Amino acid sequence: MAESWRFELSIDELRAVCELVPELVLPSGYTASDLSPLPDDANEDTAIAAGHASLKERGLVGPQADGDPEGVAPALLFALSLHAVAERALRIFAWSPAEESRELISVNRGACAGLRRVQRRGALDPTARIVVTFMYLGELTKHLLELVADNSPGTNSPLTSTTIGLVDSRAVVEAVRAGNQEFLASLTSRSGDDQDVELMSGLTRQMDAGFHLELLDREARCLYMGDWFRGDDGWISMTVIPGQFPVSGESLAESGRMRLAKVSRSLIRADLLEMVAGLRRTRDVA
């Protein structure tokens, strides 16, 4: 068996797969309609037919072994089907100057299936594509690093860190994504610590790339959350530190903290490796 599989589909091709395999259940938010609703003047049957023809041309749809109705390539269908039996899930949002992507990676024991939508940044993109992947845990870190822009500037100042309250931290994340420089500047001015000021000042600069990751259990409880932003002085990471256990939304709001740190890309890789190592330890959870 191959170590990993990767298929790139158009939205119409994904629609056609779902039409051919009506029993296939994709995760909420990742059906073709969720990912790219049809315009009001578009015909769904026409879109599905176009997707079906394209899949046939690419060899991803063909006769089944018994010569009966046409079937979807087994490897593609297997990768899509794994989402229905996930024990853990990773939710990812990443952006660069040119593109943004949302991905769900379902993990069941040692197997991982990814469903990623990639489009031009900041626009409803008719050329958006779906990336369907299958891999084992040993390939997961490499897969995640694809979304961490690798043309990063060198860090021109020492790697430093600080912590801030979780409520403030989420506001910071949203402010960075929205480009709310006034909020970030006011948060910086309220801190009397030089290190805090330096790190917060980094967030007030233009951020041209970012990466958000959540690890969820079967009941959709968050087990890990991290954000990384790239500015002109390198990467800054933001990770949640629970204030008390057991972890709950209330306890996080009351005592949760966010660790803010200036990091290198190799340290991001180390964070991801640690998270994947935790998945390895729980791979036999039923």
Side-chain angles (χ1 to χ4, degrees), residues 9-201:
L9 307 178
S10 69
I11 300 290
D12 285 348
E13 287 174 334
L14 182 62
R15 285 193 177 93
V17 169
C18 294
E19 179 75 7
L20 287 166
V21 191
E23 65 272 22
L24 177 65
V25 178
L26 294 180
S28 175
Y30 285 85
T31 67
S33 296
D34 293 328
L35 293 167
S36 185
L38 283 168
D40 293 339
D41 59 349
N43 181 283
E44 185 173 12
D45 290 340
T46 301
I48 290 172
H52 190 177
S54 177
L55 288 170
K56 286 186 68 174
E57 184 177 342
R58 298 175 59 195
L60 295 177
V61 164
Q64 295 179 340
D66 57 8
D68 256 353
E70 292 176 320
V72 178
L76 173 58
L77 187 57
F78 179 71
L80 290 170
S81 300
L82 272 179
H83 293 285
V85 292
E87 298 293 342
R88 298 286 188 267
L90 296 170
R91 278 200 307 230
I92 300 156
F93 173 67
W95 44 275
S96 67
E99 289 186 331
E100 62 184 46
S101 65
R102 296 184 182 274
E103 182 168 19
L104 180 72
I105 299 176
S106 297
V107 182
N108 188 349
R109 301 184 185 272
C112 308
L115 190 55
R116 179 190 300 175
R117 182 186 194 275
V118 184
Q119 68 170 47
R120 289 183 305 220
R121 188 174 172 193
L124 182 60
D125 184 3
T127 65
R129 64 190 187 276
I130 303 301
V131 182
V132 179
T133 51
F134 171 82
M135 74 210 83
Y136 295 102
L137 278 174
E139 295 291 314
L140 182 55
T141 301
K142 178 182 177 182
H143 178 82
L144 294 172
L145 279 171
E146 289 180 5
L147 297 174
V148 181
D150 61 2
N151 55 335
S152 305
T155 300
N156 298 321
S157 55
L159 301 183
T160 56
S161 66
T162 189
T163 57
I164 57 177
L166 189 60
V167 174
D168 277 346
S169 74
R170 299 318 298 166
V172 169
V173 171
E174 294 305 318
V176 169
R177 289 179 179 168
N180 188 340
Q181 301 298 319
E182 290 183 5
F183 173 84
L184 295 169
S186 68
L187 193 60
T188 299
S189 66
R190 295 205 304 266
S191 174
D193 187 287
D194 290 343
Q195 181 169 286
D196 290 2
V197 170
E198 180 187 358
L199 286 168
M200 289 295 177
S201 295

